[in-house]
Amino acid sequence: MTLYQLEAFALVAKLQSFTEAAKELGVGQPSISAMVIQLQKELGIKLFEKLGIKSHLTEAGKRLLQRAQTILALVQEIKDEMEELRGLKKGKISVGSSGFGTSLILQAVEKFKEEYPGIDVNLTFQASETLHQKLLNGELDVALLGRHIESPLTVAEPYRDEEMVFISPPKHPLAMKRSVPLTVLAKESFISYEKSAPVIKLIEEKFATKGIAFKPRVEISLAMGTRDAIKNAVSRGLGISILTKCHILSDVKAGRLKILNVPEWKVKRTLYITFHKRRRDSSWVRLFVDFLKGYKSD
């Protein structure tokens, strides 16, 4: 039994004519008759009986028609759903971001939803290592990671470079200086993410290239994902810190923070668009990745 046989059978039942059904399907009348005859042989029961010039359903034919209509309606639903997916009108995508990309991904998803209102976006914010594992497990489609994690199973495309800057409260003594040497910064009270955070390693490596040991006088470590807490601590005069420039511009404009001029410090962090190689050809992954690449943040 095939879908085409059921379609032909249902059409004959509707029109009560093999000839008219053949015309609507654009085939010869013998073809329609042959399909119905074959269907009756497979089922072992007669489906039509001739009364005058019309073909009427037998009791078995009536029962089969109910089933056939249900099946054909479901097939049409499947076709419609697949058409929507091909047209990228409706669907769901799971996206993750490390703390580094939080502000950007929130803005990007807001614009994405305006352009593709039928696509649901599930957002997850965690550390890069955790997000990468979720990509490997198939729990995420795309992730913005604050660092490149080597893996033969994932693709990591450099997305954006963001400048790292030292910040202080506006009235801090260093904020008044035209330039600040790294040797001075190394002795300041420092507020940062937890000791294991990638940015700490980045700072230590940069200081080491200048032959300077990074040993702050006081070090206040805050848990991952507490950028606002760091900015608040700095603005209250508890110490200096270092954050990506894009995350503190509004605070600088509002007069809560000051960017220190450190000529020796030219460091940028790269944000990576990362996804599993198996999903490289996924329509949803391609759509979202292409959108991100073309997105201009405010």
Side-chain angles (χ1 to χ4, degrees):
M1 185 188 303
T2 67
L3 287 174
Y4 197 42
Q5 284 177 325
L6 290 178
E7 185 180 7
F9 161 75
L11 192 56
V12 172
K14 175 185 175 182
L15 300 175
Q16 295 184 311
S17 169
F18 282 75
T19 301
E20 294 302 317
K23 288 180 181 179
E24 188 159 326
L25 289 176
V27 298
Q29 190 269 341
S31 296
I32 293 292
S33 297
M35 281 190 283
V36 173
I37 290 171
Q38 181 61 35
L39 185 58
Q40 291 182 143
K41 285 183 177 180
E42 288 182 25
L43 298 175
I45 196 167
K46 193 173 182 179
L47 301 173
F48 289 99
E49 57 185 359
K50 195 80 168 179
L51 297 175
I53 61 172
K54 298 292 185 179
S55 296
H56 296 272
L57 290 170
T58 62
E59 184 58 33
K62 291 177 183 178
R63 294 194 182 187
L64 177 61
L65 180 60
Q66 292 177 342
R67 299 289 190 178
Q69 288 173 332
T70 300
I71 293 170
L72 294 173
L74 180 58
V75 169
Q76 187 59 50
E77 285 181 18
I78 293 172
K79 288 180 178 179
D80 291 343
E81 187 174 338
M82 293 303 104
E83 181 60 34
E84 282 190 332
L85 289 174
R86 282 198 297 273
L88 299 175
K89 298 175 184 176
K90 181 185 289 186
K92 181 182 294 185
I93 184 168
S94 295
V95 179
S97 177
S98 64
F100 180 21
T102 300
S103 298
L104 189 149
I105 199 65
L106 286 172
Q107 295 174 23
V109 166
E110 182 181 2
K111 296 296 182 183
F112 182 82
K113 288 290 294 178
E114 290 177 4
E115 191 167 337
Y116 302 97
I119 300 178
D120 294 327
V121 181
N122 181 40
L123 272 174
T124 299
F125 299 99
Q126 289 178 308
S128 292
E129 294 80 1
T130 303
L131 293 174
H132 189 263
Q133 188 59 51
K134 289 193 172 186
L135 287 172
L136 294 176
N137 295 342
E139 298 174 57
L140 288 177
D141 295 303
V142 182
L144 286 183
L145 304 186
R147 65 191 187 90
H148 182 197
I149 299 177
E150 293 286 347
S151 171
L153 300 177
T154 55
V155 176
E157 300 182 357
Y159 178 40
R160 295 195 182 187
D161 289 331
E162 295 289 351
E163 184 181 356
M164 303 291 294
V165 294
F166 279 94
I167 56 175
S168 74
K171 295 184 179 180
H172 192 284
L174 296 181
M176 312 299 177
K177 295 184 177 293
R178 296 182 61 182
S179 66
V180 182
L182 284 178
T183 51
V184 173
L185 290 173
K187 299 175 183 178
E188 286 291 319
S189 299
F190 194 80
I191 301 167
S192 75
Y193 291 127
E194 56 198 5
K195 187 68 176 177
S196 60
V199 68
I200 300 301
K201 184 178 181 181
L202 181 68
I203 295 171
E204 291 174 340
E205 289 176 350
K206 181 62 177 180
F207 272 76
T209 62
K210 300 293 183 179
I212 304 170
F214 180 68
K215 295 181 178 180
R217 187 168 63 246
V218 178
E219 185 173 358
I220 304 174
S221 296
L222 298 173
M224 185 69 179
T226 54
R227 185 189 305 114
D228 288 341
I230 290 177
K231 292 193 292 184
N232 188 44
V234 172
S235 69
R236 291 176 178 275
L238 298 182
I240 65 170
S241 189
I242 180 169
L243 291 173
T244 47
K245 189 175 182 178
C246 63
H247 291 139
I248 52 89
L249 289 178
S250 61
D251 298 277
V252 172
K253 186 176 180 180
R256 290 188 292 269
L257 297 173
K258 180 73 180 291
I259 297 176
L260 302 179
N261 179 28
V262 186
E264 301 166 88
W265 179 264
K266 301 295 180 184
V267 175
K268 292 183 178 181
R269 287 187 68 186
T270 301
L271 196 60
Y272 294 88
I273 298 177
T274 310
F275 50 90
H276 200 292
K277 287 183 177 179
R278 288 200 313 264
R279 299 191 178 181
R280 187 197 302 267
D281 297 324
S282 163
S283 297
W284 305 115
V285 169
R286 289 202 311 270
L287 177 69
F288 194 76
V289 169
D290 289 344
F291 178 86
L292 280 179
K293 288 180 178 179
Y295 172 70
K296 304 295 183 183
S297 57
D298 298 332

